[in-house]
Amino acid sequence: MTDPAIIFSPAPRFNPSLKRALNDILGGSAASVLTVTFGLSYSLLIFAGPLSPYLSFGIAATFISSAVLAAVIALGSSLPFAIAAPDSSTAAMTGILAASLVERIETASLPAPLLSSVLITLGLSTILTGFVLCGLGLTRMGRAIRYVPYPVVGGFLGATGFVIVMGAIRVITDHPVEFATLRRVANGVALLELGAACAMALVLYLTWHRSRSPFGLPIILIGGMLTAHVAFWASGISLEQARALGWTFRPPPQAAFMLPWHIDELARYPWSAVPDLLGNLVAVIFVAASSTLFNTTGIEVAVHREANLERELNVTGAANMLTGALGGYAGCISVSRSVLNFGAGGRGRLSGLTVAAMSLLMLAVAPELLGFMPKFVLGGLLLYLGADQLHKWIIESRKRLSKLEYLSLIAIIVIIIGWGFVPGILIGVIIGCATFAFSAARVESIKYSFDGAEFRSSLDRSRDDQEVLLAHGGKIQGLNLQSYLFFGSANRLYQHVKQLLQERPECRYLLFDFKLVTGVDSSAAYSFAQIKRSAHDLGVELILVHLPAAAEKVLRSSDFVGDGVTIIPELDHALEWCENELIAQHQGLEQEEASLRGRFTRILDSEDDADRLIHRCQRIEVESGEIIVRAGDPADSMHFILEGRVGIMVPAEEDRTTRVRSLGRYTTIGEMGLVSNTPRSATIQAEVDSVLYVLNTRQFDSIRDEDPALSHKLLTYFVSVMAERLTFANRTIAVLRR
């Protein structure tokens, strides 16, 4: 009888380590399909036109780059499943760099070998890119690239998509898209090839773009290749004839690996062309750095894993230095391949090593495969990659960008296409900064406002004091500020304060709470200086609360902090100080205002009109000998003298002045200039300590516009005053004539 324990024993389990290794190899194999396919396309993109005879060296450089990048980043990345290789953006910039060198050599007829010069350029640029990336990682400055405005990055990548599309057309037709070559590009066979490539790109979009199956891309490419060969067979065209007509690639020789670092090759290198290549070299470094950071962030979001950005920059920099030393070109971590590997189960570093091994294997297989590949298949893949990038940044970005940002992005794309990547980036950064400044200026710098009647300090006060604050709390106005204050937002704050002081003429204390302010620049200090001048003219005290040390330093450097400006650490203490001042003043002003109200009531025949006029006036105190107004100044106010005495002074001989009249309490001065808007004809000086109430032009105009009845009474009073003074003058003249 069979032992039951044997019958029901559990099935054997795979070793967990072996299972993880198999998953890594499977995920790496899936990612290898993309690496190999894209690698062939990038080889054709870089080694096109005059460099097409050296395509075998380009294939070797591509797969050496893929192998080194995949292996080094797999071993050192903070994301163990990361897959690295040349990317479409880095390949496009490398192609531009190589094409620029070739054009320079041919234009200047430099006696330099084409192949070694290109390989040296690619190697040196990649090594330099590696050093820069390591420098960014070691100094932790890599995160600074994230401060590049988003439209600049989008415009850069959108222009890169355009470059890929132009490179695809060159791969398909063997001619660049220029006015001089339009006839060659527009011939019958070239148009058919372009049509077939567009159809291939459309198939990729309708199928692989939506599914992203790991084996979808090779199946589509193999299907396109088989379809082309069946069409050749049905048309009676042999493989040699198809190659002669330009439908397929001529099989390059076996992939040739060459280290360009020989003394003879370095001696013959066209070093005089290097200054002309610096712009494109900067573009390669910028693309590699930005792609490393943005791709890493994209992987973090896609797989919910956190990466160490500094470590990624250091590892990518080391990988690029080794790649450049071996004659390869720049690359970085890939979002699509890393996510594909992760989705296929790859979690360890063996995935990247699998991709490296497959890339080295392609050094022997790729040339043979390329000989049977129709141009429109790989050209269609490049068209798809470029068009997908253009669609992402020109069409899809419209949904997530404001109108101004989107227009900036389009402008940057046009500038890069017309003038090059470096001018485009520099102008783009300027446009981005200007756009940011414009947008930030539209952000309201005032979170909320309050007055002393509705928002008070925590100090409990007597009922009498509370009644004073309730009746006169409007003399305390507060503004809670927020965000960063610079020339745009600070100017809006200044305009708001001007309007506030106009609408609240009774205001005597204006509080600014800086608790939510993140910073103040020097241009904002100028706006605060304007606020101080406006407040000083109206007798308003400025109180600054929660003022950061850095902001205080900026404001002090502009002489804003001084007379008329008080700094108090906390809002509650500031409110208490203002309330104490208000209550103390009110206790001494009650009798004074009662006296003034009686005076105005006698003038206007109405207590209500008297109260309204008092609220329009500003109280000032002047010391004996103090100049109130000077001759020649604009006549922008009149004065009601409540206490004291002032003299009207005119120039006399030897720089002296002569008093022509003196005015005491309950008299007025300056009403004629207020009505006629003519400059002051004399200087007004306090003869003793005096208290005056000032009615300025702005408040007088408001009375005229908002309260015609009160305005009429004031004008009637002005006429009576001038009539009295004219009568006095006539009597004086009569006496002098005796």
Side-chain angles (χ1 to χ4, degrees):
M1 187 174 178
T2 308
D3 188 351
I6 297 176
I7 297 176
F8 298 103
S9 61
R13 296 182 179 179
F14 285 105
N15 187 315
S17 300
L18 179 60
K19 184 177 180 180
R20 286 195 296 269
L22 290 175
N23 287 336
D24 290 344
I25 293 173
L26 176 62
S29 299
S32 297
V33 173
L34 296 184
T35 297
V36 169
T37 307
F38 290 149
L40 289 174
S41 300
Y42 300 156
S43 301
L44 295 169
L45 182 66
I46 298 171
F47 285 80
L51 292 177
S52 55
Y54 310 109
L55 181 58
S56 58
F57 293 91
I59 293 174
T62 295
F63 288 111
I64 286 172
S65 301
S66 300
V68 174
L69 289 165
V72 174
I73 292 181
L75 293 174
S77 174
S78 60
L79 300 170
F81 56 87
I83 305 296
D87 193 64
S88 58
S89 298
T90 56
M93 293 312 308
T94 302
I96 292 175
L97 179 63
S100 299
L101 176 65
V102 172
E103 181 182 1
R104 177 64 180 166
I105 291 176
E106 292 181 345
T107 302
S109 300
L110 299 176
L114 206 58
L115 175 61
S116 61
S117 298
V118 169
L119 292 179
I120 290 173
T121 301
L122 298 187
L124 289 176
S125 67
T126 307
I127 293 173
L128 182 58
T129 299
F131 274 114
V132 172
L133 292 178
C134 286
L136 293 175
L138 292 173
T139 59
R140 298 181 178 271
M141 293 177 58
R143 296 175 186 265
I145 199 168
R146 291 190 172 181
Y147 292 97
V148 176
Y150 188 74
V152 176
V153 177
F156 185 89
L157 295 177
T160 302
F162 178 83
V163 169
I164 294 174
V165 170
M166 294 297 101
I169 296 175
R170 184 173 186 176
V171 168
I172 297 165
T173 64
D174 290 327
H175 298 291
V177 182
E178 299 173 353
F179 286 109
T181 60
L182 281 181
R183 290 184 179 180
R184 299 178 185 176
V185 175
N187 65 56
V189 175
L191 290 177
L192 287 175
E193 291 174 342
L194 286 173
C198 290
M200 189 70 193
L202 181 61
V203 171
L204 286 169
Y205 174 76
L206 295 175
T207 55
W208 185 69
H209 177 84
R210 300 186 178 184
S211 66
R212 293 292 181 179
S213 170
F215 300 105
L217 182 59
I219 291 174
I220 295 170
L221 296 180
I222 292 172
M225 185 172 63
L226 292 177
T227 301
H229 283 283
V230 169
F232 296 155
W233 174 78
S235 303
I237 300 176
S238 66
L239 184 58
E240 289 299 324
Q241 289 174 325
R243 289 171 180 166
L245 292 172
W247 279 98
T248 62
F249 295 102
R250 294 189 177 277
Q254 188 66 28
F257 173 69
M258 184 182 83
L259 284 175
W261 315 116
H262 299 290
I263 296 179
D264 294 340
E265 302 295 343
L266 292 172
R268 293 189 294 171
Y269 182 80
W271 297 104
S272 60
V274 170
D276 296 327
L277 303 176
L278 290 178
N280 292 323
L281 178 59
V282 171
V284 171
I285 297 172
F286 179 84
V287 167
S290 60
S291 297
T292 299
L293 292 172
F294 291 125
N295 289 0
T296 302
T297 304
I299 295 172
E300 288 179 329
V301 174
V303 302
H304 307 290
R305 298 288 184 91
E306 185 176 356
N308 185 323
L309 289 180
E310 283 71 30
R311 181 174 175 181
E312 295 303 320
L313 285 168
N314 290 330
V315 172
T316 305
N320 276 280
M321 283 190 282
L322 181 57
T323 299
L326 295 176
Y329 54 90
C332 61
I333 191 171
S334 169
V335 176
S336 60
R337 279 161 270 193
S338 298
V339 173
L340 178 60
N341 174 44
F342 190 87
R347 298 292 186 274
R349 305 188 185 279
L350 186 58
S351 297
L353 297 176
T354 301
V355 174
M358 293 294 291
S359 298
L360 292 175
L361 180 63
M362 287 304 297
L363 289 175
V365 179
E368 306 246 346
L369 176 64
L370 194 60
F372 293 93
M373 183 71 71
K375 288 183 178 180
F376 73 85
V377 174
L378 290 181
L381 175 60
L382 288 173
L383 277 179
Y384 161 75
L385 294 174
D388 182 58
Q389 192 120 305
L390 285 171
H391 180 269
K392 178 181 179 181
W393 293 107
I394 295 181
I395 306 300
E396 293 182 0
S397 64
R398 181 65 188 91
K399 302 175 184 177
R400 58 180 180 270
L401 295 178
S402 66
K403 185 176 181 180
L404 185 60
E405 289 176 327
Y406 180 73
L407 291 176
S408 301
L409 184 148
I410 298 299
I412 292 167
I413 291 177
V414 173
I415 292 171
I416 291 176
I417 293 174
W419 295 350
F421 278 89
V422 173
I425 292 173
L426 295 178
I427 296 175
V429 169
I430 295 173
I431 292 175
C433 293
T435 302
F436 169 77
F438 180 78
S439 301
R442 296 165 61 187
V443 176
E444 187 59 58
S445 59
I446 302 173
K447 185 175 179 63
Y448 61 84
S449 59
F450 58 88
D451 64 33
E454 61 186 359
F455 189 65
R456 300 179 186 171
S457 69
S458 60
L459 177 63
D460 287 339
R461 298 185 182 275
S462 67
R463 182 170 298 177
D464 292 340
D465 288 349
Q466 291 181 29
E467 290 177 355
V468 170
L469 296 178
L470 183 62
H472 302 281
K475 294 184 179 180
I476 303 173
Q477 297 291 326
L479 298 175
N480 184 274
L481 307 182
Q482 63 179 354
S483 73
Y484 187 85
L485 300 180
F486 66 110
F487 61 89
S489 57
N491 182 67
R492 291 186 67 194
L493 174 63
Y494 166 59
Q495 299 299 331
H496 179 89
V497 170
K498 280 179 60 180
Q499 184 177 358
L500 172 67
L501 296 180
Q502 182 176 357
E503 295 175 351
R504 299 292 185 92
E506 73 276 12
C507 176
R508 293 296 173 264
Y509 301 98
L510 183 57
L511 283 79
F512 293 101
D513 188 352
F514 287 79
K515 188 174 184 179
L516 301 179
V517 172
T518 57
V520 178
D521 72 354
S522 56
S523 59
Y526 173 73
S527 295
F528 276 99
Q530 291 178 301
I531 292 174
K532 181 180 179 180
R533 284 194 295 271
S534 298
H536 180 267
D537 293 341
L538 298 174
V540 177
E541 178 87 6
L542 301 181
I543 297 93
L544 311 183
V545 183
H546 291 125
L547 185 65
E552 181 178 349
K553 181 179 180 181
V554 172
L555 294 179
R556 285 190 181 277
S557 65
S558 63
D559 295 329
F560 171 75
V561 178
D563 293 339
V565 178
T566 303
I567 300 177
I568 300 177
E570 295 181 355
L571 179 60
D572 189 61
H573 290 165
L575 287 170
E576 180 183 338
W577 182 84
C578 293
E579 292 167 358
N580 292 339
E581 291 288 313
L582 192 61
I583 293 170
Q585 292 173 10
H586 183 267
Q587 291 171 348
L589 291 176
E590 282 184 341
Q591 185 62 37
E592 183 180 290
E593 286 195 5
S595 177
L596 182 65
R597 184 177 293 105
R599 170 63 178 165
F600 282 172
T601 300
R602 288 191 294 273
I603 292 174
L604 305 172
D605 295 326
S606 170
E607 289 188 0
D608 292 339
D609 288 341
D611 286 335
R612 288 198 296 273
L613 181 57
I614 290 174
H615 289 153
R616 296 281 186 177
C617 294
Q618 172 195 348
R619 180 184 183 275
I620 63 171
E621 295 181 4
V622 292
E623 297 178 355
S624 177
E626 183 177 342
I627 300 296
I628 300 172
V629 297
R630 293 185 182 276
D633 288 348
D636 56 0
S637 62
M638 65 169 292
H639 299 74
F640 297 95
I641 305 171
L642 184 62
E643 296 289 344
R645 187 176 69 250
V646 301
I648 300 177
M649 319 297 291
V650 296
E653 297 178 354
E654 299 179 358
D655 295 329
R656 293 183 296 106
T657 58
T658 300
R659 190 184 78 175
V660 296
R661 190 171 183 136
S662 182
L663 295 96
R665 68 192 305 258
Y666 292 157
T667 59
T668 60
I669 189 169
E671 68 282 343
M672 188 65 185
L674 188 68
V675 175
S676 62
N677 292 321
T678 56
R680 306 280 188 187
S681 58
T683 296
I684 302 175
Q685 184 177 15
E687 296 181 343
V688 296
D689 293 347
S690 304
V691 177
L692 300 89
Y693 276 74
V694 183
L695 180 66
N696 60 39
T697 304
R698 185 175 8 171
Q699 296 301 331
F700 180 72
D701 291 340
S702 298
I703 293 174
R704 183 188 59 199
D705 297 337
E706 301 170 8
D707 197 342
L710 177 59
S711 175
H712 178 72
K713 290 181 179 181
L714 275 176
L715 291 174
T716 302
Y717 171 68
F718 294 164
V719 171
S720 66
V721 170
M722 286 185 283
E724 292 175 1
R725 290 174 181 169
L726 182 59
T727 300
F728 175 81
N730 289 335
R731 291 173 179 171
T732 302
I733 293 172
V735 171
L736 294 175
R737 284 181 175 179
R738 291 176 183 174

